[in-house]
Amino acid sequence: MASKKPKFKNDRALRFYNEVLGLDRLHYGLWEDSDERTLEGVKIAQKRYEDFLLSEITTLSGQPDTTRILDVGCGTGVMSESLYKNSFLVEGLSPDLYQKEIFNQRIPVPFHLARYQYFETNNRYDIILMSESAQYIPLNKLFAKTDELINDKGHLVVCDYFTYDDASGPMAKSGHKLNEFLIAAGLNGYRMIKQKDITLQTIPTLETAKIFTEKYILPTLAIFGDKFREKKPFLFKTLKWFLRKRIAKIQKELVLIDAEEFAKNKAYMFFIFEKI
Ligand SMILES: C[S@@+](CC[C@H](N)C(=O)[O-])C[C@H]1O[C@@H](n2cnc3c(N)ncnc32)[C@H](O)[C@@H]1O
């Protein structure tokens, strides 16, 4: 029997950020107090996050032109581009077709269309970078796959949010549990050589998303909703009934952009692990 081909998707949310909001980065920003809580501020803070990663990786590697890096869950390739421009031998990986298209337009380096846990190659890497992508890879596969791909004495660099053991509600649903992640790293022979808690510098991303949602998105939806109800009251009621579960889910999930809830339930961490 022929083996089933994996299905890859087109990231519609990214298309929206990219084509409507003009944002082509998919990660939180690293904020300073003076940054304005606007879309422009988001872009500046996101760039600062990438510069932070670049500076850490440069210090770690010492010799960019002989350092092979796999940018796991590379998004649109902004971080890969920065590494490429700084002479690193970088390759991108993501299971998304839209990201593949944008990545290939951005830089002439290999892109692997794959889920990390199923990625097969003979290549070996000195640094495996997971910038806000570790959370998508099942923990029992993350370290096993990294073992296959990493060079002796290579490094795993992870920048992502994690949940506390007592996290609850929608916030508890995304991100690995911090303690479980650290235990799994240790059990798999990954020694942590650096860690930084950047929660406070990253949460203004959520504050800004909330301001934006309350100021623009919700009022726009309300105006369209009112117009629609006036013109097609029956259709409006019917649709509202059919979509009631989805609407309730969206209302519940608005908590996902609540900065206080985030800080109560999650930590945004930067880690460097060395394979021993
Ligand atoms: C939040 S985005 C981060 C993108 C980019 N690293 C950045 O910092 O902007 C998460 C990325 O992980 C990718 N991803 C999701 N599941 C994955 C998997 N199983 N293996 C590898 N990448 C995955 C997504 O397609 C996306 O590129």
Side-chain angles (χ1 to χ4, degrees):
M1 207 172 74
S3 67
K4 228 178 161 189
K5 275 197 181 159
K7 278 200 185 130
F8 297 110
K9 288 197 207 147
N10 259 300
D11 189 333
R12 270 178 286 160
L14 173 59
R15 227 184 178 113
F16 174 78
Y17 296 138
N18 203 202
E19 292 173 8
V20 182
L21 301 183
L23 297 172
D24 59 358
R25 297 160 146 98
L26 287 178
H27 53 76
Y28 281 49
L30 205 56
W31 295 73
E32 284 179 1
D33 289 343
S34 57
D35 292 332
E36 281 183 18
R37 293 346 188 208
T38 58
L39 273 189
E40 276 317 301
V42 173
K43 289 182 195 169
I44 290 169
Q46 286 181 316
K47 170 83 172 59
R48 192 178 294 116
Y49 169 103
E50 285 149 27
D51 290 345
F52 162 70
L53 287 185
L54 177 65
S55 144
E56 290 289 345
I57 289 172
T58 305
T59 309
L60 184 65
S61 129
Q63 251 187 319
D65 51 355
T66 56
T67 304
R68 295 181 71 98
I69 301 184
L70 181 65
D71 183 1
V72 177
C74 56
T76 58
V78 182
M79 189 65 220
S80 290
E81 182 177 22
S82 166
L83 291 164
Y84 169 73
K85 286 189 171 157
N86 283 276
S87 305
F88 287 98
L89 306 171
V90 63
E91 296 175 19
L93 177 145
S94 170
D96 188 272
L97 288 163
Y98 181 59
Q99 292 170 23
K100 174 179 192 255
E101 190 186 316
I102 301 195
F103 187 100
N104 286 338
Q105 285 163 9
R106 194 185 287 281
I107 34 171
V109 304
F111 175 96
H112 308 283
L113 184 69
R115 286 190 181 81
Y116 183 66
Q117 59 271 36
Y118 304 122
F119 178 46
E120 298 292 339
T121 178
N122 291 324
N123 298 345
R124 293 292 173 268
Y125 302 92
D126 303 302
I127 295 177
I128 296 196
L129 169 65
M130 296 181 182
S131 160
E132 252 180 64
S133 57
Q135 57 179 280
Y136 299 100
I137 303 163
L139 208 44
N140 60 350
K141 307 247 168 66
L142 189 151
F143 290 102
K145 182 49 75 177
T146 302
D147 271 351
E148 286 175 26
L149 299 177
I150 202 163
N151 271 330
D152 283 351
K153 300 222 170 105
H155 293 96
L156 171 65
V157 176
V158 176
C159 200
D160 209 337
Y161 53 75
F162 295 85
T163 56
Y164 293 126
D165 288 345
D166 59 355
S168 59
M171 280 284 177
K173 288 189 185 146
S174 55
H176 292 299
K177 281 211 178 316
L178 181 57
N179 280 333
E180 282 178 9
F181 186 83
L182 294 177
I183 290 170
L187 288 175
N188 284 278
Y190 288 80
R191 184 160 54 101
M192 190 212 296
I193 58 169
K194 185 157 189 177
Q195 70 168 319
K196 197 169 178 200
D197 184 335
I198 53 171
T199 313
L200 290 181
Q201 289 107 295
T202 51
I203 50 179
T205 313
L206 294 175
E207 289 159 7
T208 311
K210 199 167 184 197
I211 293 171
F212 194 77
T213 307
E214 286 170 357
K215 212 165 159 184
Y216 301 107
I217 298 185
L218 295 180
T220 309
L221 288 177
I223 290 167
F224 279 119
D226 286 349
K227 276 226 147 144
F228 185 38
R229 184 174 32 205
E230 265 169 39
K231 291 201 163 161
K232 311 254 179 208
F234 178 71
L235 192 57
F236 178 83
K237 264 194 184 165
T238 316
L239 267 180
K240 204 172 159 195
W241 190 84
F242 276 114
L243 294 175
R244 69 194 186 287
K245 284 193 185 143
R246 186 163 283 201
I247 293 169
K249 192 171 170 227
I250 291 173
Q251 277 164 346
K252 242 186 174 176
E253 286 186 345
L254 275 180
V255 78
L256 289 174
I257 52 171
D258 187 303
E260 255 178 54
E261 277 298 308
F262 184 97
K264 241 196 278 167
N265 291 287
K266 288 184 196 277
Y268 202 122
M269 301 296 298
F270 170 76
F271 292 118
I272 303 180
F273 296 97
E274 187 176 59
K275 176 71 189 159
I276 43 172

